[in-house]
Amino acid sequence: MEVINAIGRRKAAVARVYVSEGKGQITINKKELKEYFTTGTLQYIVKQPLNLLEVAEKYDIKVNLDGGGVTGQAEALRLAISRALVKIDAESKSALRTAGFMTRDPREVERKKPGQPKARKKFQFSKR
């Protein structure tokens, strides 16, 4: 099997994934998964598509992660891994879709408007 690549995005985070056959190693920006994502919740989010298809020990994954915060990066990586797994085996798409791993979350940060302190917050209104 040759190297399969895919991309995942979430907010400002971009994950570029390179999947090859191996022993289940996940390397993010030349660091181990447990070293990069220290909390168990984020590690669980990243491994969700692999555990769903029961292929966690089958592939080595190399990742370039850039931008955003830790949760956005973890969710971008989950999407990228899901897309790569579909490229490898097209039958797995329906299972990943029902779990919600194939959908790009479209929510972005709303822009700040002039005459307001934030996107929706208004300055205190004075009647007189």
Side-chain angles (χ1 to χ4, degrees), residues 112-123:
K112 184 201 171 297
K113 279 83 173 186
Q116 293 174 206
K118 290 165 115 185
R120 301 227 171 166
K121 190 178 183 181
K122 309 282 190 285
F123 289 118

Side-chain angles (χ1 to χ4, degrees), residues 12-52:
V14 180
R16 287 185 292 278
V17 160
Y18 304 93
V19 180
S20 57
E21 277 186 22
K23 298 187 282 291
Q25 287 245 298
I26 300 173
T27 313
I28 306 163
N29 295 349
K30 295 176 183 165
K31 288 183 182 177
E32 280 296 313
L33 173 70
K34 285 179 173 65
E35 209 180 310
Y36 194 87
F37 292 120
T38 51
T39 60
T41 313
L42 296 173
Q43 291 169 22
Y44 172 74
I45 287 170
V46 168
K47 289 180 179 176
Q48 274 180 316
L50 297 166
N51 294 335
L52 180 75

Side-chain angles (χ1 to χ4, degrees), residues 1-6 17-22 49-50 53 55-56 58-62 80-93 96 102:
M1 176 188 130
E2 74 282 355
V3 177
I4 305 288
N5 68 317
V17 160
Y18 304 93
V19 180
S20 57
E21 277 186 22
L50 297 166
L53 302 175
V55 293
K58 210 173 163 188
Y59 302 112
D60 280 349
I61 302 171
K62 225 178 127 256
I81 290 170
S82 301
R83 285 178 173 173
L85 291 172
V86 167
K87 280 185 183 178
I88 293 165
D89 179 26
E91 276 89 71
S92 61
K93 188 170 185 173
L96 290 166
M102 292 303 295

